[in-house]
Amino acid sequence: MSDITMPNVAAIERSRHGSSIGQPVTRREGHLKVTGQAGYAADYNPPGLLHAVMAVSGISRGRVTHLDVAAAEAHPGVVKVMTPANAPKLAKSPDDKDHGFMFRMNVLQNDSVRFANQPIAVVIAETLEAATEGVALLRPRYAEEPARIGLDGSAAFALQAVGAGAPAKGGIGDIEAGLAEAATRFEATYETPAQYHNPLEPHATVAEWDGDKLVLHTPSQGLTMAQGRIAGLFGIDPANILIKSPFLGGGFGAKGLFSGPQVLGIMAARFVGRPVKLVLRREQMFGPVGHRGETRQTLRLGADSTGGLTALEHNTLTTTSFYDDFFEPAGTTSRHLYASPAIATSHEGVRADIGTPIFMRAPGEAPGSAALECAIDELAVKAGMDPLDFRLRNYAEIEPITGKPFSSKALRQCYAQGAARFGWASRPRAPRQMRDDDGLLVGWGVGTATFPAMIFPSEARAVLRVDGSARVEIGAQDMGQGAWTSLAQIAADGLGVDYDKLDLEIGSSALPTGGIAGGSAGTATAGSAIHHAAADVIKKLAALATSDERSPLFGAGNSGVVPRDGRLVRQDDESRGESYASILARAGLAEIDGKGSAGPNPSMQESYAMHSHGAVFAEVKVDPDFGQIRVTRLVGAFAAGRIINPRMVRSQYYGGMIWGVGFALHEHAAADPRSGRLMNANLAEYHVPVNADVPLIEAILVEEHDPHVNVLGLKGVGEIGITGTVGAIANAVWHATGVRARAFPITLDTLLERPGDI
Amino acid sequence: MIPGRFDYHRPASIAEAVALLASLGDEARPLAGGHSLIPLMKTRLATPEHLVDLGAIASLKGIQVDGDDIVIAAMTTQAELIGSALLAERIPLLKETALVIADPQIRYKGTLGGNVANGDPGNDMPAVMQCLDAAYEVVDEAGPRRIPARAFYFGAYDTALQAGGIVTAVRIKVPPHGHGYAYEKLKRKIGDYATAAAAVVLTVADGRCATASIGLTNVSETPLWAEEAARILVGSTLDTATLDRAVAAAESITNPASDMRGPAEYRTKMAGVMLRRAIERAKSRATA
């Protein structure tokens, strides 16, 4: 992709007149959603449909020794019970890994149990009720072995790679020397718990086989990857698999890689020779579809007498399963956020009898920035500096370890605009200085937000029709973030057509590959391919017009014309132009199409560090008698390059910041140390913020131009809101109470040195 | 989240309901608002073969004055308690309590009778009823009986209600005009059960506490009537030293479980904090 031409910023500015990009248009599919017409996977009911329900393990380690299949199959309506004894054998072992981006799954190929809530059988019945009852009648028996749970449940071991393949270790300079010369030193350990994605829509499949052809309705954040994974497991041609995923009720990473339960739905349909629907129950979302592993992060920092960092060490211990490798890359945040002559980051793993962790919204950055932002705050206080001044003192002008310049970085403006809006200047330095009218302790905290700007390979097709309408096709995915809308805005501008005359088709594997809606890269990925496909159409159209004597554009040259409101016009004289309809009609064409692709640009990646940035300011109120914490105000200021749709972007920031509230104060999957089973695998007890927990939130969209990051100049907005927010809240809790909480979620009792009197 | 198979009955009278429950035996459960029972059934922690829905029995609805008492029929919802002008005037503690139970959707379905009868130590109304010295009107095979709230709870889900019996109404002697009251509840977040909660009703005469009653929620297997703590208050000016002693007395009778709401020591201390706040607020509301 080194032949990508980077945008002419002046041309972009000119094209903004009357453009769709930048407009806060509402969701294109909003009406469908609020009237119940948006069909999610589980809404699809083909003729002859059977219902499948998974039986899941009640132990976390051992074997299933008995299932009362006869009792289940005797229940009226039950068609068949699929167990390891009779389940279809897959063409490829689900434990085979072709590459690091392929994860092992548990799909009834043997009787072993590797974690609680692992599928151990699937009951298929004429009704959901009968299948559910069939599961209850299986009454499994087990040979149970002792569960190994938590960060201390087994021996830690060294790692080579974390996350999506980042090196486990990374740094620069001499940490010990940096600490030795420091005027102020600080060391602390922070812990973050296991967290589960819990999108509103649980994983669902409706699978229909026709010979070796498969039609699958299922939510997916990565249709092409899913297609490839299914093809491998079932030994069929990817071209024979059609996946429909037009709407997702959230994904957050849980639907990024195809999961075991989704495979079981496909197996069940093959097993009974009829279409089968399988929908996970909420409690089944806690195990077989991934989670964020636990972390224990130890940071050692030093600062000189002016507050300049001399050393930043960030060591992470994190949990994975006993059968596969995924390691939360918590330390990577420290590699690019603050300037320090010495930086050292490392990760170790520990295995537990749990389902394998996976990418979860802001993998690495969410827990990593939580710990880093707390430690930076603690060091600032120890050094006698305002926490915001301290961050500015250590502002990274270049990416610290690589020495690369940033493709753009308006973090200083984020700090300034956020602080001004929040009123940070009037914050007293010492803790426990502010009370509200009800006597509640009030505290203010700040955290820096950061997330890398990525892009994945993708392709798009665009068509202009003689009637002035247009169509763009790409197998991109809308998880709820607004892809239906923002991609249409990009397409409309690229083709120079009215947004309302633009048909967009996404969410099907039959379309050109749309890459991945993940890594906060969905809009960059699909949008860039759409941009190039549109440019290809315009180039062909321009070639038709400028080479035709009868056109007013004759002789203008391909680069001398631009698309504008259904017309090509001369760049040097916009009054001279010709409509698409006229160009196509004269050429005898009903339509003209083009293709485009996008992907990472190695030369740009070598030259620039690319990240979104932000600053989050939090106010909390703490009851002085019992430590109850409420977040009462959040102000986030974020810079993420070009903003396609400020309404959607603001919504992403809000959502991310609310996730930050949940991370700081609520989310905690608690395992019973005796059995390894989760004690709160439901939304009644696995707490996430509800409306009543959500404070006044403001998101400021800080202007930022990025001529390098990708052809559209945009960076990701989906995950950054969590980062910074967690630290800001924890730091505000300290400012309110004088107590540093170093384990998340922060619970009331940790604030009470003497219960009843903090 | 689908319950096992069960048969559904919808009797039209109390007599019919009691007869049904008696004939169906142990596998039958009465259904009020369903907010405790139905989730248990959906998660298969309860698998009754018969549900006897009390929702069609007209006499189980309504709030009546009966002499010095107010009688609240068992199927009265939390939302109806909140909306009752009579209760707001005469026993405002009930509205204050109902408003911190769960969330509005649940309060539209959840009933007072279900809340007091099922014996869940996390429920808020039992301690309030002990505080108010309420009595439960119970009908079972032996006929109607009246059981004081303070004698109703034996353990978690273990009550004086015999199998086959139902609570038909809650009878509360109206506290004196000018009484002070408060229900203080600590919960981790909106919708949660109490980490600890305290109900207080007291009267003040000539600057001194004349009567006092205290109930504590979710700090033991049953609601707690803190008799000794209340006795300490009576005759005092509700000064700090007295409150310290009353709080200590209340804390000494708690026996909470250590759970996700906190360790036992914390929950005990929080019961004390809730009680202190409830007393102070009740005092500020008392007139005379």
Tab-separated table of all heavy atoms in Angstrom, chain A residues 26 68 80 277 317 396 414 416 449 453 457 462 510 693 732 738:
chain	number	residue	atom	x	y	z
A	26	THR	N	-28.049	12.038	11.891
A	26	THR	CA	-28.493	10.976	12.798
A	26	THR	C	-28.336	9.622	12.107
A	26	THR	O	-28.102	9.540	10.904
A	26	THR	CB	-29.956	11.169	13.215
A	26	THR	OG1	-30.735	11.256	12.027
A	26	THR	CG2	-30.121	12.434	14.022
A	68	ASP	N	-27.296	-37.524	31.225
A	68	ASP	CA	-28.506	-38.337	31.078
A	68	ASP	C	-29.193	-37.982	29.748
A	68	ASP	O	-30.246	-37.343	29.711
A	68	ASP	CB	-29.445	-38.121	32.270
A	68	ASP	CG	-30.494	-39.226	32.352
A	68	ASP	OD1	-30.655	-39.975	31.351
A	68	ASP	OD2	-31.151	-39.332	33.404
A	80	LYS	N	-32.697	-34.046	19.434
A	80	LYS	CA	-31.431	-34.758	19.571
A	80	LYS	C	-30.542	-34.037	20.577
A	80	LYS	O	-30.671	-32.835	20.775
A	80	LYS	CB	-30.704	-34.821	18.230
A	80	LYS	CG	-30.252	-36.211	17.921
A	80	LYS	CD	-30.064	-36.519	16.486
A	80	LYS	CE	-29.591	-37.978	16.510
A	80	LYS	NZ	-29.030	-38.472	15.355
A	277	LYS	N	-31.196	-22.587	15.409
A	277	LYS	CA	-30.868	-21.322	16.084
A	277	LYS	C	-30.270	-21.633	17.450
A	277	LYS	O	-30.815	-22.442	18.204
A	277	LYS	CB	-32.135	-20.479	16.263
A	277	LYS	CG	-31.884	-19.140	16.967
A	277	LYS	CD	-33.175	-18.409	17.327
A	277	LYS	CE	-33.883	-17.879	16.091
A	277	LYS	NZ	-35.020	-16.995	16.462
A	317	LEU	N	1.680	-8.642	35.357
A	317	LEU	CA	1.370	-10.076	35.455
A	317	LEU	C	-0.093	-10.214	35.057
A	317	LEU	O	-0.940	-9.467	35.548
A	317	LEU	CB	1.581	-10.568	36.894
A	317	LEU	CG	1.213	-12.032	37.173
A	317	LEU	CD1	2.180	-12.970	36.459
A	317	LEU	CD2	1.233	-12.308	38.684
A	396	ALA	N	5.287	14.032	25.884
A	396	ALA	CA	6.163	13.388	24.890
A	396	ALA	C	6.008	14.105	23.554
A	396	ALA	O	4.957	14.016	22.926
A	396	ALA	CB	5.803	11.921	24.764
A	414	CYS	N	-5.962	19.196	24.204
A	414	CYS	CA	-6.946	18.418	24.975
A	414	CYS	C	-6.858	18.781	26.457
A	414	CYS	O	-7.874	19.027	27.121
A	414	CYS	CB	-6.702	16.911	24.808
A	414	CYS	SG	-6.963	16.286	23.148
A	416	ALA	N	-5.696	21.498	27.723
A	416	ALA	CA	-6.081	22.897	27.940
A	416	ALA	C	-7.600	23.069	27.859
A	416	ALA	O	-8.216	23.691	28.736
A	416	ALA	CB	-5.387	23.787	26.910
A	449	ALA	N	-5.653	10.100	28.162
A	449	ALA	CA	-6.220	9.035	27.341
A	449	ALA	C	-5.368	8.834	26.106
A	449	ALA	O	-4.832	9.799	25.540
A	449	ALA	CB	-7.648	9.389	26.927
A	453	ALA	N	-3.732	4.392	16.569
A	453	ALA	CA	-4.531	4.524	15.349
A	453	ALA	C	-4.114	3.424	14.387
A	453	ALA	O	-2.976	3.389	13.930
A	453	ALA	CB	-4.314	5.891	14.724
A	457	PRO	N	-6.555	-4.386	6.355
A	457	PRO	CA	-6.805	-4.507	4.915
A	457	PRO	C	-8.308	-4.602	4.619
A	457	PRO	O	-9.050	-5.278	5.333
A	457	PRO	CB	-6.094	-5.821	4.534
A	457	PRO	CG	-5.104	-6.054	5.628
A	457	PRO	CD	-5.726	-5.482	6.868
A	462	ALA	N	-17.746	0.563	-5.681
A	462	ALA	CA	-18.655	1.711	-5.784
A	462	ALA	C	-19.256	1.751	-7.186
A	462	ALA	O	-18.590	1.387	-8.156
A	462	ALA	CB	-17.908	3.003	-5.494
A	510	ALA	N	-20.711	-11.681	1.519
A	510	ALA	CA	-20.725	-11.704	0.057
A	510	ALA	C	-20.136	-10.423	-0.525
A	510	ALA	O	-19.830	-10.360	-1.711
A	510	ALA	CB	-22.154	-11.893	-0.439
A	693	ASP	N	-26.254	5.699	37.500
A	693	ASP	CA	-24.855	5.785	37.915
A	693	ASP	C	-24.052	6.744	37.044
A	693	ASP	O	-22.893	7.002	37.322
A	693	ASP	CB	-24.189	4.401	37.811
A	693	ASP	CG	-24.792	3.390	38.769
A	693	ASP	OD1	-24.867	3.693	39.969
A	693	ASP	OD2	-25.180	2.305	38.312
A	732	ALA	N	-9.432	11.213	41.467
A	732	ALA	CA	-10.420	12.079	42.118
A	732	ALA	C	-10.840	11.499	43.467
A	732	ALA	O	-11.076	12.233	44.430
A	732	ALA	CB	-11.632	12.267	41.206
A	738	GLY	N	-8.143	11.393	50.393
A	738	GLY	CA	-6.775	11.210	50.872
A	738	GLY	C	-6.343	9.754	50.895
A	738	GLY	O	-5.244	9.436	51.356
